[in-house]
Amino acid sequence: MFIDATGREIKIAEGFNCIEAYHSGQKIGSIEFDEIETDYDSYICLFGMNVNSNYQKAGIGVEMMRLAAEIYGKDFSKPSFSAVGGSG
């Protein structure tokens, strides 16, 4: 259980290739991952992240990312923004 910046009890749980956040049984956020496999290695890459607008700016996204880093450890890869159309 996680207490967000406004005092709400948020459950943050691991799913299949995802981390999900719940408040009072309602899903309020998630992070989805892709598992990338190469000939030499495999790693986890961030696919998408969202937090319901009524719950943003309360530390929920940060807590989901902390759990992701704890679970995936060395296999968690920093995303490449240039790979999705960024500028560098």
Side-chain angles (χ1 to χ4, degrees):
M1 198 63 64
F2 165 72
I3 305 297
D4 76 0
T6 66
R8 297 175 289 211
E9 289 186 358
I10 307 296
K11 178 182 177 189
I12 303 207
E14 176 186 13
F16 180 72
N17 284 343
C18 69
I19 304 290
E20 297 175 325
Y22 295 88
H23 179 241
S24 298
Q26 179 182 352
K27 184 175 167 182
I28 54 144
S30 66
I31 301 175
E32 297 176 3
F33 302 95
D34 273 343
E35 185 173 354
I36 309 297
E37 294 187 27
T38 67
D39 291 339
Y40 307 103
D41 206 358
S42 69
Y43 56 95
I44 302 296
C45 185
L46 179 70
F47 176 73
M49 177 177 179
N50 70 50
V51 175
N52 179 299
S53 61
N54 295 327
Y55 292 84
Q56 293 179 0
K57 307 287 185 195
I60 297 166
V62 171
E63 185 65 14
M64 288 192 298
M65 288 300 291
R66 187 202 61 74
L67 180 59
E70 180 181 307
I71 291 169
Y72 296 112
K74 68 176 181 59
D75 295 329
F76 188 59
S77 175
K78 181 178 177 183
S80 171
F81 294 105
S82 62
V84 291
S87 58

